[in-house]
């Protein structure tokens, strides 16, 4: 009886120990599981916090790169237009300047006329007629001046015309600056006037040589 009682008590104690150990084990597992459950939302939150900002940063970087690419394309497209505008403006100014020179012949016409006068003096004999001497000394030099002026005027006319029609061939969609058109038109008009005057003077229709007395 005593043995059975001790055995039963030992079994109860053993069961109690087992239950206690089991409870401890179960409690430990529960604590681990609870810790895992508690750590899981933190992990999810960490994942969300790490992934979403990264995605937004990538999107911002991509948007910035796209904007920089657009700006680079815009700058590249604007550079030829600016270069073309500078060239056309310079050509228009040159056309107007040549038109002004074409009205008088300029320094080159003066030098050419003086040279023609000297050559006439050297080639004309003293015994030549008065008409021949006037033609050699003055008529030829005036024609040389008219010829040089006509060349300047024609150059101004061609240059101004090229500037005006340049956008139609080089850049059809590009609009030309108003001041370039104005200066180019001035060069064309001055060139036409100078060319007409040069032709009239060269042909002695304007300011011809005076007639010599018989």
């Amino acid at each position: 009886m005593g043995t059975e009682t001790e055995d039963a008590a030992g079994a109860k104690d053993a069961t109690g120990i087992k239950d206690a150990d089991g409870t401890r084990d179960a409690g430990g597992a529960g604590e681990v599981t609870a810790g895992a459950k508690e750590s899981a939302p933190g992990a999810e939150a960490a994942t969300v916090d790490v992934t979403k900002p990264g995605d937004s940063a990538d999107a911002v970087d991509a948007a910035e790169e796209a904007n920089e690419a657009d700006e680079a394309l815009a700058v590249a497209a604007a550079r030829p237009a600016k270069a073309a505008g500078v060239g056309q403006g310079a050509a228009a100014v040159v056309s107007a300047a040549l038109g002004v020179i074409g009205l008088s012949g300029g320094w080159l016409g003066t030098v050419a006329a003086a040279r023609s006068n000297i050559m006439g003096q050297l080639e004309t004999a003293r015994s030549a007629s008065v008409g021949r001497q006037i033609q050699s000394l003055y008529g030829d030099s005036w024609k040389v001046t008219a010829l040089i002026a006509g060349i300047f005027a024609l150059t101004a006319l061609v240059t101004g015309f090229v500037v005006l029609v340049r956008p139609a061939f080089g850049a059809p969609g590009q609009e030309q600056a108003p001041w370039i058109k104005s200066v180019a038109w001035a060069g064309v008009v001055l060139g036409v006037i100078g060319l007409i005057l040069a032709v009239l003077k060269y042909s002695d229709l304007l300011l011809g040589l005076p007639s010599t007395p018989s």
Side-chain angles (χ1 to χ4, degrees):
M1 293 293 291
T3 305
E4 290 179 358
T5 303
E6 290 177 358
D7 293 338
K12 287 181 180 180
D13 293 337
T15 304
I17 292 172
K18 287 182 180 179
D19 291 342
D21 295 338
T23 304
R24 288 194 187 96
D25 295 339
E31 291 176 357
V32 172
T33 305
K37 289 181 179 180
E38 290 177 355
S39 62
E44 291 178 357
T47 304
V48 171
D49 293 339
V50 170
T51 303
K52 288 185 177 180
D55 294 339
S56 61
D58 293 338
V60 170
D61 293 339
E64 291 178 355
E65 291 178 358
N67 292 332
E68 291 177 357
D70 294 338
E71 291 178 358
L73 292 175
V75 170
R79 283 177 181 173
K82 291 181 179 179
V86 171
Q88 293 176 18
V93 173
V94 169
S95 174
L98 291 175
V100 173
I101 297 173
L103 295 176
S104 61
W107 173 82
L108 184 60
T110 303
V111 173
R115 182 177 182 276
S116 177
N117 193 342
I118 294 173
M119 290 180 63
Q121 292 178 7
L122 295 175
E123 294 175 357
T124 304
R126 294 181 180 272
S127 59
S129 62
V130 177
R132 176 59 182 168
Q133 290 180 6
I134 293 175
Q135 179 65 36
S136 299
L137 297 177
Y138 301 102
D140 293 341
S141 62
W142 290 351
K143 286 187 176 181
V144 170
T145 303
L147 180 62
I148 298 299
I151 292 174
F152 278 110
L154 181 61
T155 306
L157 175 61
V158 173
T159 304
F161 179 77
V162 170
V163 172
L164 291 174
V165 301
R166 180 67 174 84
F169 295 96
Q174 181 182 351
E175 185 177 357
Q176 199 173 48
W179 73 270
I180 296 178
K181 292 182 179 179
S182 300
V183 177
W185 273 114
V188 170
V189 172
L190 291 174
V192 170
I193 295 174
L195 187 60
I196 293 174
L197 293 177
V199 171
L200 292 177
K201 182 63 190 80
Y202 190 85
S203 59
D204 289 334
L205 295 176
L206 178 66
L207 300 176
L209 288 175
S211 60
T212 58
S214 56

